[in-house]
Amino acid sequence: MATTATLHSHAPQGFIRKYIFSLDHKVIGLQYFFLALTAVWVGMFLSLLMRIHLVWPTASLPLVGEIRPEMYLSLLTMHGTIMVFFVLTTAPQGGFGNYFLPIQIGAPDMAFPVLNMLSFWTTFVGFVLILAAFFVSGGAPLHGWTGYPPLSAVQSAGPGEGLGADLWIASIAIFCIASLMGALNFITTTLDLRAKGMTLMRMPLTVWSWFITAILGLLAFGVLLSAGILLLMDRNLGTSFYVPLIVVNGQILGHKGGSPLLWQHLFWFFGHPEVYIAILPGMGVTSQVLSTFSRKPIFGYKAMVYAMLSIGFLGFMVWGHHMFMSGMSPYSAFAFSLLTMCIGVPSAIKTFNWLGTMWKGRIRFYTPMLFAIGFVSLFVSGGLSGPFLAQPVLDIQLHDTYFVVGHFHLIMGVAAIFGIFAATYYWFPKMFGRMMNEGLGKAHFWLTFIGTYAIFMPMHYLGMAGGTRRYSQYTEVAYLQKLMPIHSFMTYAAIITIASQFIFVINLFWSMFKGPKASDNPWESTTLEWTTATPPPHDNFGGRTPVVNHGPYEYGVPGTAKGFIMQNDPASTPAH
Amino acid sequence: MATFIPSSPVAHEQLGRGGGVTEPPVRGGGDDGQGDDGSDYVGRLRRARLGVAVAIAAVVMIFVSLTSAYIVRQGLPTFDSPSSSYVRDWGEVSLPLALLMVNTAVLLISSLTMEGARRSITRQSALAPVRSIPGVSLGEEWRFPWLGLTVVLGIGFLAGQCLAWSELRRRGFFIPTNPNSSFVYLFTGVHAIHLAGGVVALLWAGLTSLLHKPLESRRIVIDVTAWYWHFMALLWIYVFALLQFAR
């Protein structure tokens, strides 16, 4: 093991600089993690209110009373926005990426620690702003997480479209700026701070996934920021970028000539890559965990890297498939359809490589492994409905139904969440120095796995049967009456699944303080974070600089005492 | 068991960052202030330049998206009730060309003075080791205040843009007057905000001098700000050309 002791830096001692305005990427990673944990409970609570309302529409619920249709749309909007931005984008990239990318490449910190801190606190301000939308006059906006104008661009379009919508846009714009700062740091760190011997093709697939995600974020969030500025101008300065000649409540507004489609193009140019921003880190973690717990090298490392690059590249060319219903030339629709189906190729490569990794492996079914397998399952189940929706003809039938809700919740929502859970259970020992409880972890997995399938699979049938989405009250729609039992089933499943998340939270906080002490490498993993102390010291490697001699997944190596090779083991160690 | 991962030592000439012949420098994690003591300053300069290049890519995406919105909105028809037909509502804007030309000249000159500041501090950095040799004196040299001049010119450009907006209003073109005028204010405003960020960076660079920060740290700030500043000048020429010739 070649290391060089040179400098040993000292951690800050004061509480404020150590835990609040810290420049340490590990503390910032934890801050992101707990921010996302808070956000996910808010988002889940909103979804619970929606599910209960759909089945018992006249029930008076705690905190909100009886839910009116406008409030239902507000819940829908805020659930989507909080989950997409402050959970699915924040936890995998801001949380785990921040904590582990520098350690996995052998760096002492991010390239720009001050920018890193600013990035987190900017995200925090964005989160506060979006929560504030609940409490202002008119309440939260009701234009959906996609913010389509003219609903989102006209203040008088409905309750919540006043100050609440302005706060929503400001929050998203601030989130964009924070994400751009984060992307800048991730890209520079990956390109410039890798330890000696850590070539690009020796980087763990987690690092690749964070790196590619950062590139996607860099190119996508600027576009959403621009779109948001135009929307704010339409709302507050009287411009007509998105708003055509329009009559609201019998009054002709001053706008004319704008195009709601312009927003849709700009939004989805961001929105589709955002799907991959949410899911790519989950792919990285799944690869890492499957290889570790199957005790086999990842099947087709290079193919996995190129598949992620292809997915990222193609992700920028398919935004139009969200707009088949919005009016589009059939030729454009054909191109977007074809390119969308092309994404199936790298996705299939990844799936078969994950299966190939597990094939004939000596699988250790610990909780991280269960969630990684769950990720693969959900990725396949949610992904297979993608080619259906990629067909313009089918999409016109299915677009405004629960089929789409089921599709994107499985692939983008739950699969990404399973990636976050796999990462949490896998890296918890390194982050907190203790082990999580396996029994509780397995109970959490099975309840969540079965529960999420029970919630989202029936949505596909609901959609094919013509069950429309976004309606607040199906009990009043005659032709949908026969589908109400499915709604009831989904609501019960949602209540049980959400309740089972308490198992996770109890396990998380109990283990943080009372769990058994973890060794430096409890999973017998090979990447650099497992070569340092648990939890890692302030400068990650205690004054040493690792030198990398091996690839990231050297498991099942014959002729070695341990059966695996750490990345910084001497070069003379026999390998595959 | 097969693997695609190379395990043998990798040839040095194949290595990029992360593989070099020399031992990588060790600096502390965040908070420790190690980054300011001049150690590994070549690495810090390289990282800062890379960071600015990445930041410029993000700014480019913002202007690319605004440009696409500009082109799309330009071609959109709107329904005209009196004639019951679709008409183009893009509208005309009479740009204060002379004033904008002066502003352009000011910004281009500031780019030159910024380059002067960058080269001056690079020269100082290069001579610093020689100056540190006991008994060696290169004499006191008078340094042209490139940085101060650039700040003045940068603020001058921003003031000139404010004048241009006043002139537009005097001519009857406000933000909501027509889509064309909306975009004129939008493009020039977003560019001005980005340039103001550059001015803040320049002021910070000046402050590092007053705070007696290490020469290397000052050089890094000035160097990366210079690259950003040149980009801002190019970006302004693009914005000006777009607004003048693609309307």
Side-chain angles (χ1 to χ4, degrees), chain A residues 322-341:
Chain A
H322 297 272
M323 298 167 58
F324 290 148
M325 284 287 283
S326 305
M328 177 181 283
S329 152
Y331 299 108
S332 304
F334 174 73
F336 281 123
S337 173
L338 197 64
L339 285 163
T340 302
M341 284 189 288

Side-chain angles (χ1 to χ4, degrees), chain A residues 4 109 194-195 197 538 545 554, chain B residues 7 17-18 23 26 30 46-47:
Chain A
T4 309
D109 205 322
R194 299 195 312 280
H538 176 61
T545 300
E554 293 287 353
Chain B
S7 289
R17 198 67 52 212
E23 286 293 304
V26 174
R46 188 184 60 233
R47 274 192 293 285

Side-chain angles (χ1 to χ4, degrees), chain A residues 218-552:
Chain A
L218 186 83
L219 301 178
F221 277 109
V223 177
L224 182 63
L225 181 59
S226 298
I229 292 169
L230 298 187
L231 191 58
L232 276 176
M233 288 177 74
D234 267 7
R235 293 175 52 82
N236 298 298
L237 299 177
T239 56
S240 298
F241 297 116
Y242 303 131
V243 191
L245 186 66
I246 192 168
V247 179
V248 176
N249 295 330
Q251 285 193 323
I252 299 176
L253 303 184
H255 303 277
K256 64 173 184 177
S259 169
L261 277 176
L262 178 56
W263 164 269
Q264 293 187 27
H265 279 290
L266 291 172
F267 179 84
W268 286 116
F269 186 85
F270 148 80
H272 197 78
E274 168 61 27
V275 174
Y276 301 115
I277 288 170
I279 198 83
L280 274 171
M283 292 181 179
V285 169
T286 296
S287 303
Q288 174 99 3
V289 169
L290 288 183
S291 179
T292 302
F293 291 87
S294 299
R295 313 309 296 165
K296 278 181 62 188
I298 194 79
F299 189 94
Y301 172 91
K302 283 187 178 175
M304 292 298 241
V305 172
Y306 294 135
M308 280 196 284
L309 286 167
S310 309
I311 289 171
F313 179 70
L314 288 169
F316 276 106
M317 300 184 178
V318 298
W319 77 91
H321 71 218
H322 297 272
M323 298 167 58
F324 290 148
M325 284 287 283
S326 305
M328 177 181 283
S329 152
Y331 299 108
S332 304
F334 174 73
F336 281 123
S337 173
L338 197 64
L339 285 163
T340 302
M341 284 189 288
C342 285
I343 294 184
V345 176
S347 301
I349 289 172
K350 295 201 73 71
T351 304
F352 285 114
N353 282 3
W354 285 324
L355 297 179
T357 303
M358 286 189 284
W359 181 253
K360 292 189 175 176
R362 293 187 302 281
I363 298 177
R364 298 172 178 177
F365 286 105
Y366 289 107
T367 310
M369 182 63 169
L370 295 179
F371 274 102
I373 295 171
F375 176 96
V376 178
S377 166
L378 290 157
F379 184 69
V380 173
S381 306
L384 281 178
S385 52
F388 288 80
L389 295 168
Q391 310 290 332
V393 175
L394 284 175
D395 185 66
I396 287 169
Q397 168 70 22
L398 294 170
H399 188 85
D400 282 326
T401 73
Y402 265 92
F403 190 92
V404 174
V405 184
H407 162 71
F408 74 71
H409 271 92
L410 279 183
I411 189 80
M412 183 193 186
V414 188
I417 291 281
F418 268 52
I420 295 169
F421 279 137
T424 307
Y425 283 102
Y426 176 65
W427 277 313
F428 183 91
K430 185 54 67 177
M431 292 193 291
F432 298 105
R434 293 176 184 272
M435 302 298 289
M436 288 183 83
N437 184 285
E438 268 298 305
L440 289 175
K442 288 193 167 99
H444 173 228
F445 167 76
W446 285 111
L447 284 167
T448 309
F449 185 68
I450 296 168
T452 48
Y453 265 111
I455 300 168
F456 297 112
M457 280 310 277
M459 288 188 181
H460 296 81
Y461 301 105
L462 206 58
M464 284 189 284
T468 48
R469 58 173 167 150
R470 300 198 185 99
Y471 285 21
S472 79
Q473 205 163 327
Y474 295 98
T475 49
E476 302 298 312
V477 186
Y479 86 96
L480 293 174
Q481 285 302 312
K482 287 185 179 174
L483 299 176
M484 280 312 292
I486 300 181
H487 272 294
S488 300
F489 176 79
M490 292 191 300
T491 295
Y492 286 121
I495 291 169
I496 293 168
T497 309
I498 289 173
S500 66
Q501 301 318 302
F502 284 102
I503 299 172
F504 169 71
V505 172
I506 290 167
N507 195 358
L508 185 79
F509 287 102
W510 183 84
S511 303
M512 220 178 273
F513 301 103
K514 300 286 183 186
K517 293 266 187 190
S519 65
D520 286 350
N521 189 6
W523 309 121
E524 298 186 308
S525 298
T526 52
T527 42
L528 291 181
E529 76 271 29
W530 305 104
T531 66
T532 189
T534 292
H538 176 61
D539 64 354
N540 292 344
F541 295 96
R544 297 180 293 112
T545 300
V547 174
V548 175
N549 294 306
H550 299 276

Side-chain angles (χ1 to χ4, degrees), chain A residues 4 6 9 12 17 108-110 191-192 194-195 197-199 202 226 230 240 257 259 538 545 549 551 554 576, chain B residues 1 3-5 7-8 10 15 17-18 23 26-32 46-47 61-62 65 73 76 78 176 186:
Chain A
T4 309
T6 48
S9 60
R17 289 208 64 200
D109 205 322
M110 282 284 189
L191 290 178
D192 201 75
R194 299 195 312 280
M198 181 61 82
T199 59
R202 280 179 176 170
S226 298
L230 298 187
S240 298
S259 169
H538 176 61
T545 300
N549 294 306
E554 293 287 353
H576 286 284
Chain B
M1 201 173 291
T3 176
F4 289 103
I5 309 159
S7 289
S8 54
V10 180
L15 300 180
R17 198 67 52 212
E23 286 293 304
V26 174
R27 63 181 182 87
D31 289 317
D32 54 13
R46 188 184 60 233
R47 274 192 293 285
M61 283 310 292
I62 290 174
S65 53
R73 183 65 185 85
L76 285 179
T78 188
L186 177 68

